[in-house]
Amino acid sequence: MKTWISITFVCVLVLSLFSGCSTTAKSEDQTITMRLAHNQSETHPVHKSLVEFARLVDKKTNGTVKIKLYPNGQLGSEREVIELTQTGAVDFAKVSASALESFSPVYSLFSLPYLFDSRDQFYKVMNSSIAQDIYKTTTDVGFRGLTFYDAGTRNFYTKNKAIMKPEDLKGLKIRVQPSATSIKMIELMGGSPTPMSFGEVYTALQQGVIDGTENNETALTDNNHGQVAKQYSYSEHTIVPDILIMNNKKWDKLSNKQKKAITEAAKESTAFHKVEWEKAIDKATKEAKAKMNVTFNKPDKEPFKKAVEPLHKEFAKKKATSRYYKEIRAEATGD
Ligand code: GCU
């Protein structure tokens, strides 16, 4: 897999050097071709929303900015594509906010369980100036956030055990995203956290390296996790957005008109995605039930919330997160 990724990436670089594709031109007379990497398949709703983003950018820039998509983790794991976006080897990447935690500590807030009490609260915050401020926190490390995409609520699923209360996680190896906050969450709930990148999860489940994991419903069908994991339990512990990031130097080289076009296209693709996402979750749930025999459970969320209270106290206090923690909670609850 690694060799394949390296070969693909070297080919992409060599091709772009010789094809005259340049991401450095400022002039709107030239066509700029940019690369966008992400780790989902072409049938996943977020891929469709990124195709829509590319279409809108093309249209709004009168064809002067073209975006080529590299799905399926072809260019690497989320951490790797963030690093490529930092250097400018890749222009855009769509990654989970959890993966951004090690690049800007503020992003760790999105992995804080029960930060939002509902999807409405999540949208309220993500559509506010707070999100815009957070997107700027990585400009000094080479990239900026442009917009977010709904990635649903994250819920526990295991091979054959329903997770109805935190104690049910005891003794279970639960895969989490490589994020310190997600690791702490599982520890507080009583399970054994196993961080790994998304592309490794299916095999890890199948081979018993992990007992379970946590994600939205599309992972069951689009990533085939439902072939192995048969109990899906709605703990709804996090609502972690996907974030579209862009290399900062490439951004600075664009004309004002192109910047405006990209900003508008990003916003419009988020609205497009909201509708697609609702349909996709409905479809994935029906398919997982009917074709994969997955059982969906509805645990009481209160004991899970109680278990992670120390993490809320920590986030409200520590310097890196306290301002945003308070702002997000105030915006979310309307206080
Ligand atoms: C979601 C998210 C991905 C992420 C994955 C994960 O599916 O959209 O960007 O990689 O979770 O659990 O790693």
Side-chain angles (χ1 to χ4, degrees):
M1 181 69 177
K2 279 256 176 243
T3 327
W4 161 237
I5 288 169
S6 315
I7 294 172
T8 315
F9 187 58
V10 170
C11 290
V12 169
L13 283 188
V14 171
L15 274 176
S16 61
L17 283 177
F18 291 102
S19 66
C21 291
S22 158
T23 55
T24 54
K26 185 156 192 159
S27 158
E28 283 168 35
D29 302 334
Q30 271 172 287
T31 299
I32 311 170
T33 302
M34 298 204 188
R35 305 179 197 99
L36 191 164
H38 73 89
N39 68 356
Q40 297 289 6
S41 75
E42 279 122 309
T43 54
H44 193 275
V46 84
H47 179 80
K48 294 182 191 157
S49 306
L50 294 167
V51 168
E52 176 65 2
F53 169 64
R55 185 188 73 79
L56 289 167
V57 169
D58 189 331
K59 186 173 154 222
K60 286 173 189 282
T61 60
N62 299 321
T64 64
V65 180
K66 306 247 180 241
I67 297 175
K68 184 165 165 30
L69 267 64
Y70 294 85
N72 292 312
Q74 279 173 59
L75 300 186
S77 67
E78 293 207 322
R79 187 177 176 96
E80 285 161 338
V81 297
I82 297 170
E83 286 168 358
L84 294 174
T85 312
Q86 276 188 297
T87 62
V90 159
D91 305 290
F92 301 92
K94 188 293 301 166
V95 294
S96 170
S98 290
L100 291 166
E101 176 170 335
S102 36
F103 297 84
S104 166
V106 173
Y107 277 102
S108 60
L109 275 160
F110 295 114
S111 301
L112 175 63
Y114 305 109
L115 174 68
F116 304 110
D117 303 322
S118 65
R119 189 164 176 254
D120 285 351
Q121 284 192 0
F122 164 78
Y123 267 98
K124 204 165 162 229
V125 171
M126 295 313 291
N127 286 324
S128 76
S129 60
I130 302 174
Q132 297 298 327
D133 289 347
I134 294 177
Y135 296 158
K136 289 183 204 133
T137 61
T138 52
T139 46
D140 55 343
V141 293
F143 61 90
R144 62 178 56 225
L146 291 176
T147 192
F148 73 99
Y149 297 108
D150 194 338
T153 57
R154 295 182 76 96
N155 305 292
F156 291 115
Y157 52 99
T158 71
K159 280 188 160 179
N160 44 35
K161 186 176 179 186
I163 306 298
M164 302 306 284
K165 49 188 185 316
E167 291 76 48
D168 292 334
L169 291 166
K170 199 165 188 293
L172 298 191
K173 284 197 234 64
I174 303 293
R175 177 267 173 178
V176 287
Q177 297 197 69
S179 122
T181 312
S182 308
I183 293 172
K184 277 191 207 152
M185 168 182 80
I186 300 295
E187 280 168 356
L188 285 170
M189 289 182 181
S192 305
T194 310
M196 66 175 68
S197 68
F198 192 49
E200 294 168 48
V201 180
Y202 178 81
T203 311
L205 265 176
Q206 202 189 32
Q207 297 184 344
V209 174
I210 52 173
D211 301 300
T213 178
E214 45 88 56
N215 217 318
N216 63 62
E217 298 86 331
T218 66
L220 296 172
T221 50
D222 211 74
N223 307 97
N224 294 322
H225 295 180
Q227 280 176 5
V228 191
K230 302 295 178 189
Q231 293 288 340
Y232 190 93
S233 308
Y234 282 108
S235 46
E236 297 184 322
H237 47 270
T238 45
I239 308 182
V240 185
D242 279 351
I243 307 287
L244 178 63
I245 60 167
M246 181 181 182
N247 173 269
N248 219 24
K249 285 196 188 129
K250 301 288 170 65
W251 170 263
D252 288 342
K253 282 181 183 143
L254 295 172
S255 70
N256 285 339
K257 205 175 146 215
Q258 289 167 331
K259 283 180 187 164
K260 186 167 174 272
I262 288 181
T263 306
E264 281 175 12
K267 199 170 170 207
E268 286 168 33
S269 66
T270 295
F272 171 91
H273 182 77
K274 189 177 187 216
V275 179
E276 286 301 306
W277 184 258
E278 280 158 16
K279 286 192 256 170
I281 288 298
D282 192 45
K283 186 167 167 264
T285 311
K286 285 190 181 131
E287 213 173 292
K289 266 186 208 160
K291 297 197 186 141
M292 297 172 136
N293 261 329
V294 176
T295 302
F296 289 83
N297 311 292
K298 282 238 172 237
D300 173 11
K301 289 190 282 183
E302 284 315 310
F304 292 93
K305 285 188 184 169
K306 198 141 190 49
V308 297
E309 267 171 13
L311 213 45
H312 275 254
K313 291 202 178 101
E314 187 186 319
F315 273 67
K317 225 193 273 166
K318 71 178 175 193
K319 200 165 170 259
T321 50
S322 79
R323 176 188 143 201
Y324 282 104
Y325 175 81
K326 285 171 193 149
E327 282 185 20
I328 290 176
R329 288 299 298 158
E331 179 73 34
T333 57
D335 287 348

